[in-house]
Amino acid sequence: MLADSLRLGDFAADQIAELYDQHTQATGQEFTKDAMDRVFELAQGQPWLVNALAHEITFEMGVSGAITTARVDEAKERLIQERPVHLDALMARLYEPRVERVIRAIMEGTLPGTDASFDDDVSYVRDLGLIRGTGAPEIANPIYREFLLRHSLLCADLLRREQHGPFTDEALVQARLRIFGAADFGDVSSGPC
């Protein structure tokens, strides 16, 4: 027997405001309207991301006072770099052939016209919450898109290392800077590509 997948629907912008208002009521710490709009823009209402951004700002970053868009952007960057369990699980899904096929086609802009097996794969990846759209699929939100892009660049650099020998320390530092910015991402050889 096949079980139907259950995926919590995405929050609408007003639901994010309502959720974050609960934090304001409990703590007195306000999320500015622009900050809530930025959370919606980045997460597209994806429940885990909406909560993870707020948690990162209020608990991990220890922000006091009103929460602004700058703090939301900082939290987004930290999540992408730190790869919490949710994003790590997303990365693991990328190695499933049907997920990789769809994500690669979207990122390369090479969606096939009519292909029943590809359509089945698209439905599967949509059920996972990695993509959205009923017409031409797209990555579900800007955070996933940026994470996938950085992951693709990292894999390309690791492949180059396999083909041309190990990076020098300087070349590895430059690759990290190019992909992840100034923050240290740790050992880039630790994950599969």
Side-chain angles (χ1 to χ4, degrees):
M1 174 163 105
L2 295 175
D4 290 334
S5 65
L6 175 63
R7 181 179 174 281
L8 182 61
D10 294 333
F11 291 128
D14 62 329
Q15 291 171 314
I16 294 172
E18 193 175 310
L19 178 66
Y20 285 5
D21 188 51
Q22 291 174 18
H23 171 78
T24 300
Q25 296 301 318
T27 67
Q29 184 178 35
E30 176 189 6
F31 282 81
T32 66
K33 168 128 178 46
D34 289 343
M36 288 186 283
D37 290 346
R38 183 69 174 148
V39 167
F40 181 74
E41 177 187 343
L42 291 172
Q44 292 296 298
Q46 201 282 345
W48 186 88
L49 290 173
V50 168
N51 284 299
L53 287 166
H55 178 82
E56 188 70 26
I57 294 165
T58 58
F59 292 102
E60 301 302 323
M61 294 166 46
V63 172
S64 60
I67 296 166
T68 63
T69 56
R71 294 303 195 168
V72 172
D73 287 337
E74 182 181 347
K76 177 225 28 147
E77 187 63 28
R78 289 171 57 117
L79 287 177
I80 290 171
Q81 290 181 14
E82 292 169 4
R83 259 182 34 203
V85 171
H86 177 82
L87 292 179
D88 228 23
L90 169 66
M91 186 183 304
R93 288 285 192 179
L94 297 177
Y95 300 105
E96 293 180 27
R98 60 195 307 196
V99 173
E100 180 183 13
R101 179 180 179 209
V102 171
I103 298 298
R104 184 175 307 280
I106 291 170
M107 292 179 74
E108 293 174 353
T110 58
L111 295 171
T114 55
D115 177 347
S117 68
F118 186 79
D119 292 343
D120 288 343
D121 292 349
V122 167
S123 293
Y124 174 70
V125 176
R126 187 176 287 116
D127 285 348
L128 292 174
L130 300 177
I131 62 173
R132 66 179 180 175
T134 54
E138 62 182 351
I139 305 301
N141 58 63
I143 292 176
Y144 286 178
R145 192 175 310 120
E146 186 169 343
F147 181 78
L148 292 168
L149 176 62
R150 290 184 187 193
H151 176 70
S152 295
L153 290 171
L154 175 63
C155 287
D157 279 343
L158 290 176
L159 179 61
R160 189 184 104 211
R161 182 173 65 182
E162 287 176 9
Q163 292 171 343
H164 303 288
F167 281 127
T168 64
D169 287 344
E170 178 59 27
L172 186 55
V173 167
Q174 290 305 312
R176 285 180 178 166
L177 286 172
R178 180 174 64 82
I179 297 167
F180 299 106
D184 180 21
F185 190 69
D187 180 10
V188 295
S189 64
S190 62
C193 281

